[in-house]
Amino acid sequence: MNYRYSVLTLMSALAALSLFIDQTVAQNPTHAVAPTITEYDVDPAWPQRPESISGAGWVSGLAVDDKDQVWFFRKGPDPVQVYSASGEFVRSWGKDRFLNPHQLRIGPDGNIWVADFGLHVVQKFTPEGELLQTLGVRGEKGDDELHFNMPTDMVITPKGDIFVTDGYGNRRIVHFDKDGKFVKAWGSYGTEPGKFVLPHAIQLDSQGLLYVADRNSARIQIFTQEGELVDQWSNLIMPWGISINKKDEVWVCGSSPHWWVRDGKAPEYKDQLFMRFNTDGRVQQVWSIPLGDIGENKDKPDVSRLKPGEAVGVHCIAQDSQGNLYVGDIYGERAQKFVPVTQRAPAKSK
């Protein structure tokens, strides 16, 4: 037997088989190998809001507690609403207590913190809605140790210290101890590192570093708790909302970068993006959802035009222990749940 001829024949056959498989996969994508991409599908049945609870108003703040309950803060008749991960209604409170709800966070002790830029205050509540603490003077704006000027967000350290993005008016970070005593403030208006165009959201990683979404300058700035600038990530996303999970994954929602004012106009959104970073600033994941249609007047949106999974103003983002993403939408006036998908059933042949 001519072994050399047999080996050559076998190699030729294997090459032909490989080419056939490649062509088959290309022509029949349902037979392709498993993807390495995680997609996110919207859950159109989440949440199951009771008829007695209003669905009107911006959803500007959102957080997930240690029971995977989703809390969101909205500018409407029922501002604080809580749902389970599967969508069941848990509770609502806050009627007639807020003017311009902006962000909601959950402290290490499980208490609820909210920022109201219309009332110029940051407040701490029990999960049932009992007021425990107020920072700032209700209804009064200022730039001293006692006042805010339209605060946007807050984060609470494991020791109880509070860091507030005093954002729309003062463009600074304000630090208080656990008793609400002023410690220090830093930052001013500007594009230089360490300054802010609009400090819109703030979060804390496991090492105690502060991540500030400086929205209108399309960057995230990282600081020590003493106010020392550590790093900045620029030209990646217009960061409206930011959250950091227990794995130190930094989730950011917003839109692709653009000049905030161009030709005399401020086009807030050109698209709708989610991005995941590690704490070194490396991008780990990018996902987009369709920009919806709410009509010509965003201040009076026709939300009936929106389809599940679309948004017009992603403003806040959080992840639960199962990897589900929850996103609050201002002009679309809703919170949505996005479920990670790594496998799909093969398409049925026609």
Side-chain angles (χ1 to χ4, degrees), residues 287-301:
W287 183 250
S288 65
I289 58 176
L291 181 66
D293 175 14
I294 53 169
E296 296 296 324
N297 188 352
K298 68 183 182 183
D299 294 321
K300 294 182 179 180

Side-chain angles (χ1 to χ4, degrees), residues 7 24 53 64 98 151 206 268:
V7 171
T24 301
I53 300 297
V64 177
F98 307 106
S206 65
E268 293 176 295

Side-chain angles (χ1 to χ4, degrees), residues 233 276-285:
W233 309 339
R276 177 169 60 89
F277 300 83
N278 66 17
T279 53
D280 292 328
R282 183 173 179 178
V283 177
Q284 304 290 302
Q285 193 171 3

Side-chain angles (χ1 to χ4, degrees), residues 70-260:
V70 184
W71 295 69
F72 55 85
F73 198 31
R74 72 186 317 155
K75 188 179 179 180
D78 294 299
V80 177
Q81 297 183 24
V82 190
Y83 296 87
S84 71
S86 56
E88 290 88 357
F89 175 75
V90 177
R91 69 169 64 94
S92 177
W93 49 263
K95 191 182 294 290
D96 300 324
R97 299 178 77 168
F98 307 106
L99 182 59
N100 281 307
H102 196 261
Q103 186 55 274
L104 179 150
R105 301 292 187 184
I106 301 172
D109 58 3
N111 286 315
I112 308 304
W113 288 81
V114 299
D116 186 327
F117 71 83
L119 293 176
H120 309 291
V121 293
V122 164
Q123 294 176 297
K124 175 185 178 181
F125 293 88
T126 67
E128 293 74 32
E130 178 187 351
L131 179 62
L132 299 175
Q133 190 175 13
T134 297
L135 301 178
V137 179
R138 186 179 176 90
E140 293 183 14
K141 62 182 177 181
D143 61 358
D144 55 26
E145 298 180 4
L146 299 177
H147 293 82
F148 300 122
N149 189 349
M150 295 187 284
T152 53
D153 198 4
M154 65 267 112
V155 68
I156 298 83
T157 73
K159 294 194 307 180
D161 286 74
I162 307 122
F163 291 85
V164 177
T165 46
D166 191 13
Y168 283 121
N170 286 332
R171 274 84 170 198
R172 63 177 182 167
I173 308 299
V174 189
H175 177 193
F176 301 88
D177 68 15
K178 62 182 178 61
D179 298 317
K181 181 180 178 181
F182 175 86
V183 176
K184 69 179 297 184
W186 73 87
S188 59
Y189 184 75
T191 57
E192 299 89 345
K195 294 187 176 183
F196 304 104
V197 179
L198 176 53
H200 194 255
I202 186 169
Q203 278 283 266
L204 183 81
D205 72 10
S206 65
Q207 303 305 306
L209 293 177
L210 298 163
Y211 294 68
V212 180
D214 191 13
R215 188 188 73 182
N216 292 23
S217 66
R219 62 181 172 176
I220 297 167
Q221 299 194 74
I222 298 99
F223 297 88
T224 67
Q225 293 184 26
E226 290 69 42
E228 178 186 354
L229 180 66
V230 175
D231 199 1
Q232 67 173 352
W233 309 339
S234 301
N235 295 306
L236 295 169
I237 188 171
M238 300 292 285
W240 288 63
I242 183 171
S243 67
I244 302 178
N245 63 22
K246 293 180 179 180
K247 299 178 183 177
D248 268 352
E249 295 173 327
V250 183
W251 278 99
V252 182
C253 66
S255 62
S256 55
H258 60 87
W259 289 7
W260 189 254

